[in-house]
Amino acid sequence: MDLLIKGSTELNKMFAALQNTASGLRHDFGEVEELQQSLKSARDFVAKAAARIEESILADLQLVRPSAGLLTPDVSKQGDGRDEFVLALSGASNFVRGNPHFAISLALRTNDETKIALVYSPIDERLYYAEAGNGAYVFSTYHSEKIRVSNLQEASELTIGYNTTGIRPIIEGTARETGCPALDLAWVASGKLDAFVSDPIDFAEMAAGELLVKEAGGKIEVGADIIATNGKVQLN
């Protein structure tokens, strides 16, 4: 196959699967915008759309590694015990409200380590991706560019993303709550955010973003909270 982006053939096949699924998702987004007078109808529609994502992309991913398992927030499919695709629609609550800030997060894990990561925003068709040991990149308009975390560390200059319902770290700077953790992690990797703090989220929603942050030179800690930083920010 012709390579679309800088990276392995498997990475490109996974991106092609995302693109195939995203075309239907963009149509679904147009439909959900017409349902805004009824949030229940919109939620039901988006739940069905998310299920279609899983069905659609699984058929394509089986061509990449036929014996791999699948993990999503709703589905766990056993494979060969070695390889596993991890998939999630991140920012579904935004999708419900006709907000275009959502993404498909897709990772390939081998022996419990993430090897390939993609976070794809279907509406603006921007892809953040990484392969273990090869750095992190952003792809848009037929062009790939390497990304790195920011160098900022002065508290007053920081922009921090949050996905929390509890107490936030007390810091200066600008706070952002976007409702899409996968993209927030991609933004830390690309220097758009200096850090990201989240309550625990489903692993499927963060698997790809975790590798992106690490390959871009950042740090991520997963414990009682999820804290991703550029490696220079100290959160108290």
Side-chain angles (χ1 to χ4, degrees):
M1 65 174 290
D2 293 333
L3 297 183
L4 300 174
I5 53 179
K6 178 182 176 65
S8 68
T9 299
E10 280 190 319
L11 171 67
N12 276 268
K13 286 181 177 179
M14 290 170 68
F15 181 35
L18 283 181
Q19 288 181 306
N20 290 340
T21 299
S23 61
L25 198 58
R26 284 190 288 272
H27 176 269
D28 290 338
F29 183 70
E31 294 288 328
V32 82
E33 286 185 304
E34 302 298 322
L35 298 174
Q36 290 307 297
Q37 298 306 311
S38 171
L39 277 182
K40 182 181 185 304
S41 295
R43 289 191 184 100
D44 291 344
F45 182 87
V46 170
K48 292 177 182 177
R52 285 199 302 275
I53 288 173
E54 294 174 2
E55 293 176 5
S56 170
I57 202 168
L58 179 57
D60 289 329
L61 292 177
Q62 286 177 329
L63 300 176
V64 181
R65 289 203 183 179
S67 59
L70 177 70
L71 177 67
T72 80
D74 303 309
V75 176
S76 178
K77 175 178 174 288
Q78 285 296 110
D80 59 10
R82 176 179 180 272
D83 299 319
E84 181 179 55
F85 289 108
V86 184
L87 172 71
L89 175 63
S90 184
S93 60
N94 289 338
F95 192 168
V96 167
R97 296 304 303 268
N99 180 335
H101 193 73
F102 60 92
I104 307 172
S105 175
L106 174 62
L108 173 60
R109 288 170 59 80
T110 299
N111 296 327
D112 297 324
E113 292 186 5
T114 302
K115 300 298 185 180
I116 299 177
L118 305 95
V119 174
Y120 186 52
S121 174
I123 303 305
D124 65 7
E125 300 182 66
R126 186 178 300 271
L127 172 74
Y128 297 90
Y129 67 96
E131 290 189 273
N134 290 324
Y137 296 82
V138 62
F139 174 82
S140 181
T141 319
Y142 306 105
H143 175 69
S144 286
E145 180 180 350
K146 195 164 188 176
I147 56 176
R148 293 286 298 175
V149 294
S150 72
N151 287 316
L152 298 180
Q153 53 186 317
E154 291 295 326
S156 61
E157 298 178 343
L158 301 178
T159 300
I160 312 295
Y162 287 98
N163 180 55
T164 64
T165 56
I167 299 173
R168 297 174 175 175
I170 301 173
I171 56 173
E172 298 179 47
T174 302
R176 292 280 185 268
E177 292 191 50
T178 72
C180 184
L183 276 177
D184 285 339
L185 289 169
W187 283 6
V188 172
S190 59
K192 298 177 187 295
L193 293 175
D194 305 298
F196 171 64
V197 180
S198 176
D199 293 336
I201 58 176
D202 195 289
F203 178 71
E205 197 169 359
M206 61 165 284
E210 182 178 22
L211 181 62
L212 284 170
V213 170
K214 290 177 179 177
E215 286 295 320
K219 294 182 179 179
I220 184 165
E221 299 175 5
V222 181
D225 297 310
I226 298 164
I227 301 175
T229 74
N230 60 8
K232 299 176 175 61
V233 173
Q234 298 295 322
L235 301 182
N236 300 317

